[in-house]
């Protein structure tokens, strides 16, 4: 077990303002996605949002320079902490989250920026939204490195290039699905 944790930031811009009927599918999946992530193997914590019930926000929520204002002052973004790479991949690419990602083109502008950023933090550190956006922009400007990376070019907690353990990811995805099956009859 590592003493470091994996920070994950996601960001997207809607095609239309948040409350547009075309985004209803996204909103319908939002709470179930948060329920699933909080039960996912390897999930440690997530930032909440100042204006919503749930976990405490990890600082003032800010957006990267890629943010496009649509008149509602909001864009979907998340900030979370995970035990390892295979855990976040097992959640992101299986279950309700993967199902929602298949509909992404209906809701989101095709990004010219990375849709997410990953980086390792010390066990006692909780990243802020400001830190997350700086890492996200750094990834866009400089590409993957030990400082910030993506799933295509991952780094381990020591800063070395690594490969994602796909077998571990599949086992975790199966356990996540079983956990949700038991909770949702």
């Amino acid at each position: 077990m590592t003493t470091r944790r994996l920070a994950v930031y996601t960001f997207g811009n809607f095609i239309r303002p948040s409350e547009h009927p075309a985004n209803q599918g996204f909103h319908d999946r939002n709470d179930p996605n948060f329920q699933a992530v909080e039960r996912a193997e390897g999930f440690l914590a997530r930032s909440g949002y100042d204006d919503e019930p749930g976990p405490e926000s990890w600082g003032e929520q800010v957006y990267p320079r890629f943010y496009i204002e649509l008149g509602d002052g909001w864009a979907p973004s998340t900030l979370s902490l995970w035990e390892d790479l295979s855990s976040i991949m097992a959640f992101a690419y299986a279950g309700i989250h993967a199902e929602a990602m298949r509909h992404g083109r209906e809701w989101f502008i095709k990004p010219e920026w990375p849709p997410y950023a990953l980086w390792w933090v010390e066990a006692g550190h909780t990243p802020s939204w400001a830190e997350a956006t700086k890492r996200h922009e750094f990834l866009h400007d400089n590409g993957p490195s030990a400082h910030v990376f993506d799933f295509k070019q991952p780094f381990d907690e020591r800063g070395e290039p690594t490969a994602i353990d796909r077998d571990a990811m599949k086992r975790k995805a199966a356990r996540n699905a079983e956990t949700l099956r038991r909770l949702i009859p």
Side-chain angles (χ1 to χ4, degrees), residues 155-166:
F155 287 78
D156 66 20
E157 60 272 10
R158 295 178 308 278
E160 299 294 324
T162 191
I164 294 167
D165 185 338
R166 303 263 179 200

Side-chain angles (χ1 to χ4, degrees), residues 116-134:
Y116 63 90
L118 312 168
W119 69 100
W120 293 97
V121 299
E122 295 301 321
H125 178 71
T126 301
S128 68
W129 289 103
E131 176 186 347
T133 61
K134 285 178 186 164

